Amino acid sequence: MIATIWREASCTAMTIEQDLRGAGRRVARADSEINDTFAPLRETPAGSALAVAGTLGDQPQLRLLSSALLVVGLATRNPTLSKAAARMLLAHELATGFKSFVKHRVDRTRPRSAQSSEQRKIRPGHSRAKEESSFPSGHSAGAVAAAQAFSREYPEHRPAALGVAGVIAFAQVPQSAHYLTDVAAGALVGTAAEAVSNFIFSAVATRAAK
């Protein structure tokens, strides 16, 4: 009886593994098709504008923007702007840490370098090479985290802030820097990082009020 149960469990495990591999191949294929669809956009004026917008999600640019807003907020004695900038800095750094944690545990070749379906798949790995670290999108994580953080202090500007973050994130696809699932995962990482950042700010504010 034990042998029978073991055989059935082994068969079930093999079936699940095969299903997961099949799902991974289908996702990789869909991602590749989406990139191929948007790739021609690179050669248009809109694509050029998107490329410029996409660079705003890089770490130096987001840190510079957040720091500049903090300086302006402090110089003008604007506590709301100062808090928004401080939130952005913390959320961005957390998002950077979170995405690096994931990147260092999975490998995925970037669309511009992938030559096979296997390279397009998300797979366990520890490569530090830039072209093997497509998942998740750091630009998307940082942009979404900063936008969410800014919106905590300026909720009336939330649609605009998230819209800009969305453009930055989407810009990674036609440039073949990331797959759409990389962008989606990056957005989730950014959202989670900002939630942790908000928890920290709320805890500090509550402690300071006592």
Side-chain angles (χ1 to χ4, degrees):
M1 180 177 178
I2 294 177
T4 301
I5 294 174
W6 176 256
R7 282 196 300 271
E8 290 178 352
S10 298
C11 290
T12 300
M14 289 178 61
T15 300
I16 293 173
E17 182 180 1
Q18 291 172 353
D19 289 344
L20 289 175
R21 287 180 177 178
R25 286 193 294 269
R26 289 192 293 274
V27 169
R29 185 164 54 249
D31 265 341
S32 182
E33 291 173 354
I34 291 171
N35 277 88
D36 290 342
T37 299
F38 287 105
L41 189 60
R42 287 200 299 266
E43 309 304 322
T44 67
S48 299
L50 273 175
V52 173
T55 62
L56 299 177
D58 209 354
Q59 293 176 33
Q61 286 87 324
L62 280 176
R63 285 176 179 140
L64 179 61
L65 172 62
S66 302
S67 298
L69 290 176
L70 181 59
V71 170
V72 171
L74 293 174
T76 59
R77 297 183 180 180
N78 185 331
T80 303
L81 182 58
S82 298
K83 284 192 292 184
R87 282 179 176 275
M88 290 171 66
L89 282 167
L90 179 58
H92 174 260
E93 294 310 311
L94 288 175
T96 299
F98 288 1
K99 66 91 179 175
S100 295
F101 179 85
V102 178
K103 277 182 181 289
H104 295 167
R105 285 159 179 79
V106 298
D107 289 347
R108 191 183 201 187
T109 308
R110 293 180 186 269
R112 61 189 175 221
S113 300
Q115 301 297 320
S116 67
S117 59
E118 184 63 27
Q119 288 182 319
R120 296 184 186 97
K121 288 170 57 179
I122 302 168
R123 56 198 186 277
H126 303 281
S127 175
R128 296 295 193 271
K130 182 178 179 64
E131 292 306 302
E132 296 300 320
S133 60
S134 186
F135 184 90
S137 166
H139 286 67
S140 304
V144 169
Q148 295 272 25
F150 180 82
S151 301
R152 294 284 183 180
E153 299 297 329
Y154 292 99
E156 68 274 20
H157 298 310
R158 180 180 176 83
L162 292 180
V164 171
V167 170
I168 292 172
F170 172 73
Q172 310 308 313
V173 176
Q175 298 304 313
S176 290
H178 288 286
Y179 302 94
L180 188 60
T181 47
D182 299 338
V183 169
L188 288 175
V189 168
T191 299
E194 194 282 326
V196 173
S197 170
N198 181 58
F199 176 81
I200 294 172
F201 264 84
S202 298
V204 171
T206 299
R207 193 175 188 85
K210 290 181 178 179

